[in-house]
mmCIF file of all heavy atoms in Angstrom:
data_model
loop_
_atom_site.group_PDB
_atom_site.id
_atom_site.type_symbol
_atom_site.label_atom_id
_atom_site.label_comp_id
_atom_site.label_asym_id
_atom_site.label_seq_id
_atom_site.Cartn_x
_atom_site.Cartn_y
_atom_site.Cartn_z
ATOM 1 N N SER A 1236 71.594 -63.445 63.177
ATOM 2 C CA SER A 1236 72.038 -62.072 62.794
ATOM 3 C C SER A 1236 71.678 -61.800 61.332
ATOM 4 O O SER A 1236 71.011 -60.786 60.998
ATOM 5 C CB SER A 1236 73.470 -61.860 62.963
ATOM 6 O OG SER A 1236 73.802 -60.577 62.505
ATOM 7 N N GLU A 1237 71.879 -62.757 60.462
ATOM 8 C CA GLU A 1237 71.655 -62.643 58.976
ATOM 9 C C GLU A 1237 70.227 -62.687 58.676
ATOM 10 O O GLU A 1237 69.730 -62.069 57.725
ATOM 11 C CB GLU A 1237 72.421 -63.700 58.197
ATOM 12 C CG GLU A 1237 73.925 -63.500 58.313
ATOM 13 C CD GLU A 1237 74.637 -64.505 57.533
ATOM 14 O OE1 GLU A 1237 74.108 -65.518 57.041
ATOM 15 O OE2 GLU A 1237 75.915 -64.354 57.339
ATOM 16 N N PHE A 1238 69.392 -63.344 59.463
ATOM 17 C CA PHE A 1238 67.909 -63.512 59.238
ATOM 18 C C PHE A 1238 67.182 -62.239 59.625
ATOM 19 O O PHE A 1238 66.032 -62.062 59.257
ATOM 20 C CB PHE A 1238 67.395 -64.684 59.955
ATOM 21 C CG PHE A 1238 65.901 -65.062 59.551
ATOM 22 C CD1 PHE A 1238 65.730 -65.608 58.345
ATOM 23 C CD2 PHE A 1238 64.887 -64.765 60.407
ATOM 24 C CE1 PHE A 1238 64.428 -65.945 57.910
ATOM 25 C CE2 PHE A 1238 63.608 -65.119 60.012
ATOM 26 C CZ PHE A 1238 63.346 -65.690 58.772
ATOM 27 N N LEU A 1239 67.817 -61.347 60.398
ATOM 28 C CA LEU A 1239 67.145 -60.119 60.887
ATOM 29 C C LEU A 1239 66.599 -59.309 59.710
ATOM 30 O O LEU A 1239 65.487 -58.692 59.770
ATOM 31 C CB LEU A 1239 68.059 -59.310 61.704
ATOM 32 C CG LEU A 1239 68.363 -59.800 63.115
ATOM 33 C CD1 LEU A 1239 69.485 -58.960 63.691
ATOM 34 C CD2 LEU A 1239 67.108 -59.834 63.913
ATOM 35 N N GLU A 1240 67.295 -59.313 58.555
ATOM 36 C CA GLU A 1240 66.848 -58.522 57.422
ATOM 37 C C GLU A 1240 65.524 -59.032 56.848
ATOM 38 O O GLU A 1240 64.567 -58.331 56.513
ATOM 39 C CB GLU A 1240 67.925 -58.578 56.310
ATOM 40 C CG GLU A 1240 67.494 -57.676 55.128
ATOM 41 C CD GLU A 1240 68.621 -57.690 54.046
ATOM 42 O OE1 GLU A 1240 69.785 -58.126 54.377
ATOM 43 O OE2 GLU A 1240 68.350 -57.261 52.875
ATOM 44 N N VAL A 1241 65.426 -60.430 56.729
ATOM 45 C CA VAL A 1241 64.195 -61.056 56.274
ATOM 46 C C VAL A 1241 63.109 -60.798 57.291
ATOM 47 O O VAL A 1241 61.951 -60.460 56.874
ATOM 48 C CB VAL A 1241 64.375 -62.578 56.077
ATOM 49 C CG1 VAL A 1241 63.095 -63.273 55.729
ATOM 50 C CG2 VAL A 1241 65.484 -62.843 55.073
ATOM 51 N N ALA A 1242 63.383 -60.969 58.576
ATOM 52 C CA ALA A 1242 62.416 -60.727 59.595
ATOM 53 C C ALA A 1242 61.805 -59.334 59.533
ATOM 54 O O ALA A 1242 60.569 -59.086 59.685
ATOM 55 C CB ALA A 1242 63.005 -60.970 61.027
ATOM 56 N N ALA A 1243 62.679 -58.371 59.356
ATOM 57 C CA ALA A 1243 62.254 -56.907 59.318
ATOM 58 C C ALA A 1243 61.304 -56.666 58.081
ATOM 59 O O ALA A 1243 60.331 -55.925 58.188
ATOM 60 C CB ALA A 1243 63.434 -55.997 59.214
ATOM 61 N N GLN A 1244 61.605 -57.362 56.991
ATOM 62 C CA GLN A 1244 60.889 -57.201 55.758
ATOM 63 C C GLN A 1244 59.404 -57.580 55.920
ATOM 64 O O GLN A 1244 58.501 -57.046 55.386
ATOM 65 C CB GLN A 1244 61.439 -57.984 54.610
ATOM 66 C CG GLN A 1244 60.739 -57.859 53.298
ATOM 67 C CD GLN A 1244 61.385 -58.686 52.203
ATOM 68 O OE1 GLN A 1244 62.459 -59.339 52.385
ATOM 69 N NE2 GLN A 1244 60.781 -58.785 51.117
ATOM 70 N N PHE A 1245 59.201 -58.673 56.753
ATOM 71 C CA PHE A 1245 57.882 -59.281 56.911
ATOM 72 C C PHE A 1245 57.271 -58.991 58.232
ATOM 73 O O PHE A 1245 56.155 -59.435 58.595
ATOM 74 C CB PHE A 1245 57.871 -60.773 56.654
ATOM 75 C CG PHE A 1245 58.167 -61.103 55.215
ATOM 76 C CD1 PHE A 1245 59.411 -61.359 54.729
ATOM 77 C CD2 PHE A 1245 57.096 -61.287 54.300
ATOM 78 C CE1 PHE A 1245 59.630 -61.652 53.383
ATOM 79 C CE2 PHE A 1245 57.251 -61.602 53.025
ATOM 80 C CZ PHE A 1245 58.554 -61.818 52.496
ATOM 81 N N GLY A 1246 57.932 -58.192 59.150
ATOM 82 C CA GLY A 1246 57.498 -57.909 60.445
ATOM 83 C C GLY A 1246 57.353 -59.184 61.323
ATOM 84 O O GLY A 1246 56.372 -59.375 62.038
ATOM 85 N N MET A 1247 58.384 -60.040 61.247
ATOM 86 C CA MET A 1247 58.392 -61.350 61.841
ATOM 87 C C MET A 1247 58.873 -61.304 63.342
ATOM 88 O O MET A 1247 59.793 -60.506 63.662
ATOM 89 C CB MET A 1247 59.249 -62.308 61.191
ATOM 90 C CG MET A 1247 58.787 -62.771 59.791
ATOM 91 S SD MET A 1247 60.092 -63.912 59.031
ATOM 92 C CE MET A 1247 59.233 -64.172 57.445
ATOM 93 N N ARG A 1248 58.263 -62.079 64.140
ATOM 94 C CA ARG A 1248 58.843 -62.465 65.380
ATOM 95 C C ARG A 1248 59.405 -63.884 65.209
ATOM 96 O O ARG A 1248 58.687 -64.761 64.757
ATOM 97 C CB ARG A 1248 57.842 -62.473 66.529
ATOM 98 C CG ARG A 1248 57.245 -61.107 66.840
ATOM 99 C CD ARG A 1248 56.215 -61.218 67.915
ATOM 100 N NE ARG A 1248 55.119 -62.085 67.576
ATOM 101 C CZ ARG A 1248 53.944 -62.154 68.246
ATOM 102 N NH1 ARG A 1248 53.807 -61.467 69.327
ATOM 103 N NH2 ARG A 1248 52.993 -62.969 67.997
ATOM 104 N N PHE A 1249 60.684 -64.095 65.516
ATOM 105 C CA PHE A 1249 61.214 -65.427 65.284
ATOM 106 C C PHE A 1249 62.231 -65.865 66.365
ATOM 107 O O PHE A 1249 62.709 -65.061 67.092
ATOM 108 C CB PHE A 1249 61.943 -65.438 63.922
ATOM 109 C CG PHE A 1249 63.405 -64.843 63.909
ATOM 110 C CD1 PHE A 1249 64.463 -65.638 64.076
ATOM 111 C CD2 PHE A 1249 63.491 -63.448 63.816
ATOM 112 C CE1 PHE A 1249 65.736 -65.090 64.157
ATOM 113 C CE2 PHE A 1249 64.772 -62.905 63.820
ATOM 114 C CZ PHE A 1249 65.851 -63.630 64.015
ATOM 115 N N VAL A 1250 62.295 -67.135 66.514
ATOM 116 C CA VAL A 1250 63.292 -67.802 67.433
ATOM 117 C C VAL A 1250 64.029 -68.861 66.646
ATOM 118 O O VAL A 1250 63.455 -69.677 65.925
ATOM 119 C CB VAL A 1250 62.566 -68.512 68.614
ATOM 120 C CG1 VAL A 1250 63.552 -69.147 69.513
ATOM 121 C CG2 VAL A 1250 61.743 -67.374 69.396
ATOM 122 N N LEU A 1251 65.361 -68.844 66.779
ATOM 123 C CA LEU A 1251 66.166 -69.886 66.120
ATOM 124 C C LEU A 1251 67.068 -70.554 67.138
ATOM 125 O O LEU A 1251 67.780 -69.857 67.866
ATOM 126 C CB LEU A 1251 67.021 -69.163 65.021
ATOM 127 C CG LEU A 1251 67.644 -70.048 63.934
ATOM 128 C CD1 LEU A 1251 67.876 -69.268 62.666
ATOM 129 C CD2 LEU A 1251 68.899 -70.735 64.481
ATOM 130 N N TRP A 1252 66.855 -71.833 67.224
ATOM 131 C CA TRP A 1252 67.582 -72.679 68.251
ATOM 132 C C TRP A 1252 68.430 -73.696 67.505
ATOM 133 O O TRP A 1252 68.061 -74.180 66.452
ATOM 134 C CB TRP A 1252 66.638 -73.383 69.166
ATOM 135 C CG TRP A 1252 65.935 -72.600 70.188
ATOM 136 C CD1 TRP A 1252 64.893 -71.725 70.060
ATOM 137 C CD2 TRP A 1252 66.212 -72.549 71.523
ATOM 138 N NE1 TRP A 1252 64.489 -71.190 71.236
ATOM 139 C CE2 TRP A 1252 65.302 -71.646 72.137
ATOM 140 C CE3 TRP A 1252 67.146 -73.213 72.373
ATOM 141 C CZ2 TRP A 1252 65.281 -71.428 73.574
ATOM 142 C CZ3 TRP A 1252 67.176 -73.001 73.701
ATOM 143 C CH2 TRP A 1252 66.153 -72.065 74.360
ATOM 144 N N ASP A 1253 69.592 -74.026 68.153
ATOM 145 C CA ASP A 1253 70.255 -75.294 67.828
ATOM 146 C C ASP A 1253 69.362 -76.435 68.249
ATOM 147 O O ASP A 1253 69.014 -76.481 69.469
ATOM 148 C CB ASP A 1253 71.601 -75.287 68.551
ATOM 149 C CG ASP A 1253 72.474 -76.545 68.140
ATOM 150 O OD1 ASP A 1253 71.903 -77.497 67.709
ATOM 151 O OD2 ASP A 1253 73.691 -76.465 68.337
ATOM 152 N N SER A 1254 69.045 -77.314 67.367
ATOM 153 C CA SER A 1254 68.097 -78.334 67.707
ATOM 154 C C SER A 1254 68.531 -79.314 68.830
ATOM 155 O O SER A 1254 67.826 -80.003 69.444
ATOM 156 C CB SER A 1254 67.718 -79.283 66.469
ATOM 157 O OG SER A 1254 68.901 -79.795 65.944
ATOM 158 N N LYS A 1255 69.859 -79.307 69.094
ATOM 159 C CA LYS A 1255 70.444 -80.156 70.138
ATOM 160 C C LYS A 1255 70.557 -79.458 71.461
ATOM 161 O O LYS A 1255 70.945 -80.078 72.452
ATOM 162 C CB LYS A 1255 71.800 -80.690 69.720
ATOM 163 C CG LYS A 1255 71.740 -81.603 68.500
ATOM 164 C CD LYS A 1255 73.153 -82.055 68.133
ATOM 165 C CE LYS A 1255 73.101 -82.993 66.857
ATOM 166 N NZ LYS A 1255 74.500 -83.424 66.462
ATOM 167 N N ALA A 1256 70.160 -78.170 71.470
ATOM 168 C CA ALA A 1256 70.392 -77.448 72.706
ATOM 169 C C ALA A 1256 69.114 -77.613 73.680
ATOM 170 O O ALA A 1256 68.037 -77.389 73.226
ATOM 171 C CB ALA A 1256 70.438 -75.912 72.371
ATOM 172 N N PRO A 1257 69.291 -78.216 74.837
ATOM 173 C CA PRO A 1257 68.162 -78.492 75.686
ATOM 174 C C PRO A 1257 67.638 -77.243 76.358
ATOM 175 O O PRO A 1257 68.386 -76.289 76.661
ATOM 176 C CB PRO A 1257 68.670 -79.431 76.705
ATOM 177 C CG PRO A 1257 70.257 -79.111 76.785
ATOM 178 C CD PRO A 1257 70.623 -78.702 75.382
ATOM 179 N N TYR A 1258 66.305 -77.177 76.601
ATOM 180 C CA TYR A 1258 65.730 -76.120 77.415
ATOM 181 C C TYR A 1258 66.183 -76.226 78.836
ATOM 182 O O TYR A 1258 66.115 -77.360 79.461
ATOM 183 C CB TYR A 1258 64.248 -76.172 77.331
ATOM 184 C CG TYR A 1258 63.648 -75.234 76.247
ATOM 185 C CD1 TYR A 1258 63.885 -75.450 74.908
ATOM 186 C CD2 TYR A 1258 62.859 -74.210 76.647
ATOM 187 C CE1 TYR A 1258 63.295 -74.700 73.900
ATOM 188 C CE2 TYR A 1258 62.238 -73.378 75.693
ATOM 189 C CZ TYR A 1258 62.465 -73.616 74.346
ATOM 190 O OH TYR A 1258 61.903 -72.846 73.379
ATOM 191 N N ARG A 1259 66.639 -75.112 79.454
ATOM 192 C CA ARG A 1259 66.856 -75.115 80.896
ATOM 193 C C ARG A 1259 65.573 -74.920 81.630
ATOM 194 O O ARG A 1259 64.846 -73.967 81.427
ATOM 195 C CB ARG A 1259 67.784 -73.887 81.191
ATOM 196 C CG ARG A 1259 69.137 -73.874 80.452
ATOM 197 C CD ARG A 1259 70.149 -74.751 81.133
ATOM 198 N NE ARG A 1259 70.577 -74.150 82.393
ATOM 199 C CZ ARG A 1259 71.364 -74.801 83.336
ATOM 200 N NH1 ARG A 1259 71.743 -76.005 83.033
ATOM 201 N NH2 ARG A 1259 71.713 -74.151 84.425
#
């Protein structure tokens, strides 16, 4: 949620995962 401001400033597409969370 807090990174959305940075992402909007640079037109970013981003994904943020907990590194221990496995992919289903």
Side-chain angles (χ1 to χ4, degrees):
S1236 176
E1237 293 179 349
F1238 190 73
L1239 287 173
E1240 183 178 345
V1241 177
Q1244 179 183 353
F1245 290 90
M1247 291 177 180
R1248 298 179 299 191
F1249 77 96
V1250 177
L1251 197 156
W1252 284 77
D1253 182 336
S1254 62
K1255 295 181 180 179
Y1258 263 65
R1259 301 275 292 171

